[in-house]
Amino acid sequence: MSRTRRRARTRTAPDGLPRWPMVAGASALLLAVVVGGYTGGMFFAETTSQVEEMTVTSGILVEPSGAPDPEPSQEPEPEEDTHPAGLDPAVTYALLNVNGERALDVAGGSTDNGAHVHLWDRHDEQNQQWRFVPVEDDFYEIVGVGSGKLLEFPTEPDPEADPAATLLTRTGEPEQHWTVAEVGDGVVRLVNRASGQALEGQGGAPDNGTLAAPAEDGGHPHQQWRLAPLG
């Protein structure tokens, strides 16, 4: 009896092609998808982390959120104005001549232009009250409170009268500007800008009625004035 040898058959796809290449290709494709997804996920996570660390806004590189705030810049404080001998322009003063302690006084309480200024016993009425107003280059105007007029050395004094300090409406001229030169605590010399002469009790006399007059600045006690604050 003869055996009929059956030929082994290879399974084929419906279209007649072998099935195993298709299975292998599908497996390779699946593996590629898995690996690609994992790699892409890692790249996305890393990129996102870098974006969180540094953000670009309007083309300007800014620090990430959570960074400490920059310290605010500290501007230098403005310097306070300083005045000689503790002088305060907001304060009214009596001016007492160191040689005798009599006050700088407008004669007779006059408020007229040209009124003379002399020494008198202190009583602190308005004709003995003075204020200092700063002007340019560290000079001051000395204003009589009773009249609102300024102390000056006249540029054209009366030739028949003794030279003396007088009052005049503000002109802005150097004759009405004074250097306040500190001698000691609360004590000053008053030197006229125009003439360079100091205000003194004339001739060093301390008596009532002694004219406040110009003289060469020698730093003498009768050329020194004590600032007595009145408020």
Side-chain angles (χ1 to χ4, degrees), residues 157-170:
D158 184 350
E160 297 181 0
D162 290 331
T166 60
L167 295 184
L168 191 69
T169 303
R170 178 182 282 110

Side-chain angles (χ1 to χ4, degrees), residues 13 18 20 24 53 69 74 136 139-140 145-147 153 164 173 192 198:
W20 64 267
E53 290 179 1
D69 294 333
Q74 295 182 351
E136 76 277 5
F139 292 101
Y140 294 82
V145 172
S147 64
F153 287 157
E173 296 298 321
N192 189 264

Side-chain angles (χ1 to χ4, degrees), residues 40-129:
M42 291 294 290
F43 175 79
F44 177 80
E46 182 177 355
T47 303
T48 302
S49 175
Q50 292 176 351
V51 170
E52 290 179 351
E53 290 179 1
M54 190 66 71
T55 304
V56 177
T57 303
S58 301
I60 301 175
L61 205 60
V62 299
E63 295 186 1
S65 59
D69 294 333
E71 296 183 1
S73 59
Q74 295 182 351
E75 296 182 358
E77 296 182 359
E79 295 183 2
E80 296 183 0
D81 292 334
T82 57
H83 304 279
L87 177 69
D88 186 348
V91 173
T92 300
Y93 293 93
L95 296 175
L96 308 179
N97 192 266
V98 170
N99 184 38
E101 294 295 316
R102 284 191 165 86
L104 188 67
D105 177 285
V106 181
S110 175
T111 59
D112 297 333
N113 281 332
H116 283 81
V117 180
H118 60 191
L119 301 183
W120 203 261
D121 290 330
R122 180 179 177 179
H123 53 66
D124 292 345
E125 298 297 326
Q126 284 195 336
N127 63 315
Q128 291 187 355
Q129 297 180 14

Side-chain angles (χ1 to χ4, degrees), residues 167-209:
L167 295 184
L168 191 69
T169 303
R170 178 182 282 110
T171 65
E173 296 298 321
E175 291 80 16
Q176 296 183 338
H177 295 171
W178 300 83
T179 296
V180 179
E182 182 172 352
V183 176
D185 187 18
V187 177
V188 299
R189 298 190 333 276
L190 302 175
V191 180
N192 189 264
R193 182 179 186 178
S195 67
Q197 295 175 306
L199 181 70
E200 70 168 22
Q202 190 175 47
D207 304 322
N208 279 337

